[in-house]
Amino acid sequence: MSNLLDLIVAGLATGAIYALVAVGFTLLWQTSQTINFAQGEFVMLPAFLMLAVMHLGAPFWLAILVGIVLSALLLGLAFKMLLVDPMLRHGVLPLAIATMALAIAIKEAVKQFFSAEASPFPSIVPAGDVSILGRAISLQSLGVLAVAILAVVGLTTLLNRTSLGHQMQAAAQNPTVARIIGVPVERMILLTFLINAVLVALASLLITPIYLAKFSSGEVLGQAAFIAAIVGGFNQVRGAIAGGLLIGVVDNLAAAYVSTQYRAAVPMILLIMMILFRPQGLLGRAEERTV
Amino acid sequence: MRSIILAGLCSAVLLSGAAYAQSGAPIKIANVAELSGGGATVGNNWKNGIDLAVEEINAKGGILGRKIEVSHADSQSNPGVARAQVQKALDGEPYVLLGPGYSGSVKVTAPLAAEAGITQIMGGEAAELTQAGNKFLFRTSFGQQSSMPKVAKYVNDELKAKSVAVVWVNNDFGRGGRDVITKEFNRLGIKVAADLSTEAGQADFAADVSKIKAAAPDAVFIYVNEEESARILKEIKRQGVTVPLIGETTLVGQKVIELAGDAANGARGHVGLTTDAPVEAIKAFRDRFVKKYNYVPDHNGLKGYLAIYMVKATTEKMGKVDSKAFADTLHGLTIKTSAEPNILMDVTFDQNGDIDRQGFLVEVVEGKQVVKQVLPKLN
């Protein structure tokens, strides 16, 4: 039983990261019908940007700040202006393929300019445990969970409780009507891209101390987050969060109680079941196709 | 008469060309290694060791007066890619083939080199590699059949462990090590409390460490690749497992220490090669490597370096560059440091291509490998 609790806490901590990344999928889909297959590489890159800043002699906190700003510029602004806007007019499929190409380009560039080898990355959460209900829970797991929850709560508060959030939702739900009532749709879409870029930078900061900084680390993460977004509901932020947490816990439990060798298959099975029996995802809403 | 002179001139030109090929043309060596992918640490250290040795030898005039020219190809840590790259390398008719470092990649490439009659000097440690009767395959480090009994003896004699959790990576390297060590544990009456298979490139070890905790062993034997070693060491520290951690070179290497940080402290292992060995020639190698690459190499850097000096010593023993006779000469050869100082330690190759030389038992203390015991050369 105690082992089960440890597994669930560790799974929730990993799942919280998946959730942060999965939220990015849903945000971009809702506002600009963009499926970003480079989302995993978007999580990998900020860690290397921060490492590069640290190599120049900057302290960790400054590297984090610069890393987040650079992420916003490169993975938010430049991504939208240089890739999404020109490609979207050709349709969703060419854009999706372009993001796949972008994933390869980012990965290879990091391999070329940094290293093919893994690098250590400092943790923002100190090592050690705290005792909760008689169980030693690692500070790192709790820290990851806490930061992820804070980020997601902040995001949902922004979307649901502020005028800016309402404008973003209006721009996402019906851009034409939103424009008529005076919502700056383009600016709202850009804001969504910037939020996604900050979220992936946060995810990068949280997960890289555990997974290590490596050019290929986005592959697994992007795949897990994509599955999480579909399982939770691709068109709902709360769905992506639920999906992320669920995948994290299921993955850990599968590794412990089914088989480590087949752990990668378990989320895929969950994905297939979901597509077959509840295609809109756990918390997603069914969308009608307009003809 | 004119035709005779012409024929004579042609023959002279051809002979001089042949003579040039024999004496002046560079000796072509092909290296196929894990330059990217999961084994990037292995392959890049190996490559850098090779390049350093080649640079040194060429600076002193080469081998038998001929410079060495090495080509490097990336296996991407993928046996399928390794096979294609080795085939391509063999098409270039190299003198000797170097690499790969992953046992799985060696397994699928060794038949190609043997078929071509080209000697392959590799970094794989799986026991089975040199037991298949391949007369062209040579190791640069101990095979598992040599190292694992030493580890098991240490667990039994020094740690006095009665039960051990065995964590291994599910590939040829990991399976080979797991099979030999569990056999040794059984022979010594040590119980295998948990037998955990993990995947190459695995990022999350929380579930595996939870299983170790549940099994409550006296020690944990860890046999996974370097990056995964770092990740599992961090998770073991995170979950507060305090029993001794024992492994092989892949648990206590420089890269693991760099990646795992504090979590590597206390890890112990048998290493065939380490830059922390109390051997003057190895210390000097370490200094030269650090000067050139600005980092301390792991055992793979030493392996790559030694592979080139194996080529040099064997060729000089033959007195000619003859790829067909190379393997025959290296079988049973003892290379002494008195004759070739850069071989670093006296070494003997048996008829299987396995190696015999000194080994070391090390422990990571405050982020550094500390040699606790020197295990002598057997013969």
Side-chain angles (χ1 to χ4, degrees):
Chain A
M1 187 62 191
S2 59
N3 191 31
L4 178 67
L5 272 176
D6 287 345
L7 288 168
I8 290 174
V9 171
L12 284 174
T14 313
I17 303 290
Y18 296 157
L20 276 181
V21 186
V23 163
F25 274 116
T26 63
L27 280 177
L28 298 194
W29 175 252
Q30 284 183 68
T31 52
S32 58
Q33 304 287 292
T34 305
I35 300 177
N36 179 18
F37 284 109
Q39 187 78 347
E41 281 65 34
F42 275 32
V43 180
M44 173 270 290
L45 187 63
F48 281 96
L49 294 175
M50 293 175 202
L51 280 177
V53 176
M54 277 191 282
H55 283 160
L56 295 174
F60 186 38
W61 64 266
L62 184 59
I64 293 172
L65 279 181
V66 176
I68 291 173
V69 171
L70 285 177
S71 295
L73 290 176
L74 287 173
L75 307 177
L77 189 66
F79 173 54
K80 181 180 184 299
M81 313 266 283
L82 301 179
L83 194 130
V84 176
D85 288 349
M87 289 303 295
L88 194 55
R89 67 180 71 117
H90 300 292
V92 174
L93 189 60
L95 175 59
I97 293 168
T99 62
M100 287 179 197
L102 179 66
I104 296 168
I106 293 176
K107 214 164 53 178
E108 292 302 315
V110 169
K111 189 168 92 176
Q112 191 66 33
F113 290 112
F114 289 89
S115 169
E117 294 183 52
S119 302
F121 191 84
S123 172
I124 52 167
V125 186
D129 297 330
V130 285
S131 181
I132 298 175
L133 300 173
R135 302 292 310 154
I137 308 287
S138 86
L139 275 172
Q140 204 165 23
S141 292
L142 287 176
V144 167
L145 205 51
V147 174
I149 288 171
L150 276 177
V152 168
V153 168
L155 180 66
T156 43
T157 309
L158 173 79
L159 288 176
N160 299 325
R161 300 283 170 85
T162 67
S163 163
L164 191 66
H166 291 148
Q167 290 184 65
M168 285 173 70
Q169 291 202 50
Q173 283 162 14
N174 195 327
T176 312
V177 174
R179 266 191 203 96
I180 292 169
I181 60 172
V183 173
V185 172
E186 278 308 308
R187 203 184 304 162
M188 290 303 115
I189 293 175
L190 176 62
L191 189 60
T192 316
F193 277 78
L194 293 177
I195 289 172
N196 176 50
V198 173
L199 285 180
V200 290
L202 265 182
S204 190
L205 189 61
L206 295 172
I207 205 157
T208 315
I210 304 166
Y211 282 19
L212 305 172
K214 187 161 184 187
F215 76 97
S216 58
S217 64
E219 291 166 8
V220 177
L221 204 54
Q223 189 189 2
F226 187 62
I227 294 173
I230 293 175
V231 167
F234 215 82
N235 51 21
Q236 287 290 322
V237 168
R238 60 193 175 151
I241 297 161
L245 295 175
L246 183 68
I247 294 291
V249 172
V250 164
D251 181 50
N252 247 8
L253 293 180
Y257 296 118
V258 183
S259 158
T260 312
Q261 283 168 268
Y262 297 112
R263 71 188 296 178
V266 174
M268 298 302 280
I269 292 168
L270 198 62
L271 173 70
I272 293 167
M273 302 294 283
M274 195 56 70
I275 289 170
L276 285 176
F277 299 109
R278 194 175 161 79
Q280 71 270 36
L282 279 177
L283 303 178
R285 59 173 185 270
E287 286 181 3
E288 287 178 14
R289 179 172 292 189
T290 50
V291 182
Chain B
M1 185 63 188
R2 193 196 292 169
S3 61
I4 292 171
I5 294 170
L6 202 62
L9 279 172
C10 287
S11 304
V13 168
L14 284 174
L15 282 173
S16 65
Y20 171 76
Q22 188 65 36
S23 65
I27 298 171
K28 282 198 251 173
I29 294 177
N31 171 41
V32 177
E34 293 74 9
L35 301 180
S36 67
T41 301
V42 174
N44 284 292
N45 271 286
W46 167 266
K47 173 184 176 292
N48 290 343
I50 288 171
D51 286 343
L52 177 62
V54 168
E55 189 182 291
E56 286 174 6
I57 292 169
N58 283 345
K60 289 179 184 168
I63 301 174
L64 301 178
R66 292 171 62 179
K67 297 282 172 76
I68 307 172
E69 192 177 278
V70 181
S71 63
H72 297 288
D74 183 8
S75 76
Q76 297 170 26
S77 308
N78 177 330
V81 178
R83 192 175 158 87
Q85 293 284 21
V86 163
Q87 185 60 68
K88 193 175 157 192
L90 291 171
D91 289 345
E93 298 181 355
Y95 177 47
V96 172
L97 174 71
L98 305 181
Y102 268 13
S103 296
S105 294
V106 174
K107 196 173 160 186
V108 297
T109 57
L112 297 177
E115 196 178 321
I118 298 294
T119 296
Q120 182 174 8
I121 301 176
M122 52 81 185
E125 295 182 6
E128 63 179 310
L129 296 176
T130 50
Q131 291 170 353
N134 183 337
K135 292 295 173 195
F136 292 90
L137 194 61
F138 292 86
R139 292 188 192 278
T140 48
S141 62
F142 296 122
Q144 291 157 342
Q145 71 278 28
S146 309
S147 57
M148 292 303 162
K150 294 174 190 168
V151 175
K153 189 170 183 303
Y154 180 80
V155 169
N156 188 58
D157 297 354
E158 305 290 328
L159 301 180
K160 314 274 185 211
K162 296 289 171 211
S163 69
V164 178
V166 177
V167 186
W168 49 284
V169 56
N170 187 18
N171 57 22
D172 287 296
F173 159 77
R175 264 194 306 277
R178 178 253 182 203
D179 290 349
V180 183
I181 199 83
T182 49
K183 197 172 134 197
E184 288 298 314
F185 284 153
N186 287 337
R187 191 176 62 77
L188 294 167
I190 298 169
K191 183 185 160 202
V192 176
D195 185 16
L196 305 174
S197 120
T198 66
E199 290 303 303
Q202 187 172 319
D204 190 347
F205 284 91
D208 304 282
V209 177
S210 289
K211 280 185 185 172
I212 293 171
K213 280 175 88 173
D218 296 332
V220 185
F221 173 76
I222 300 169
Y223 202 63
V224 297
N225 298 127
E226 277 89 346
E227 284 169 23
E228 288 78 72
S229 286
R231 292 189 187 113
I232 196 169
L233 284 171
K234 288 175 131 193
E235 188 61 34
I236 281 173
K237 184 175 162 65
R238 206 160 72 102
Q239 291 198 29
V241 176
T242 53
V243 296
L245 310 173
I246 180 94
E248 238 276 328
T249 325
T250 50
L251 184 68
V252 289
Q254 290 298 334
K255 188 69 187 177
V256 180
I257 295 171
E258 180 199 336
L259 294 175
D262 288 353
N265 286 337
R268 306 163 208 207
H270 167 265
V271 297
L273 292 164
T274 168
T275 52
D276 292 306
V279 175
E280 286 309 315
I282 293 180
K283 286 179 189 167
F285 156 80
R286 176 187 165 127
D287 292 344
R288 292 196 299 277
F289 193 102
V290 171
K291 193 176 170 195
K292 182 169 168 64
Y293 298 108
N294 205 25
Y295 77 96
V296 177
D298 70 0
H299 64 288
N300 293 293
L302 276 156
K303 283 182 185 177
Y305 185 82
L306 293 173
I308 292 290
Y309 278 101
M310 283 165 65
V311 174
K312 179 173 183 278
T314 309
T315 308
E316 286 174 351
K317 167 86 177 168
M318 289 190 291
K320 59 181 178 179
V321 178
D322 184 346
S323 62
K324 299 299 171 203
F326 189 97
D328 285 342
T329 310
L330 190 49
H331 282 300
L333 182 67
T334 294
I335 308 172
K336 287 184 174 288
T337 51
S338 51
E340 177 48 74
N342 287 323
I343 205 72
L344 307 179
M345 289 179 285
D346 289 356
V347 60
T348 301
F349 297 90
D350 70 10
Q351 289 307 313
N352 292 327
D354 283 326
I355 211 164
D356 179 18
R357 68 175 161 222
Q358 283 182 334
F360 310 93
L361 269 165
V362 304
E363 181 176 343
V364 180
V365 180
E366 293 177 1
K368 288 200 167 94
Q369 271 188 5
V370 175
V371 175
K372 295 284 177 179
Q373 286 179 37
V374 177
L375 307 171
K377 186 171 183 274
L378 294 173
N379 299 300

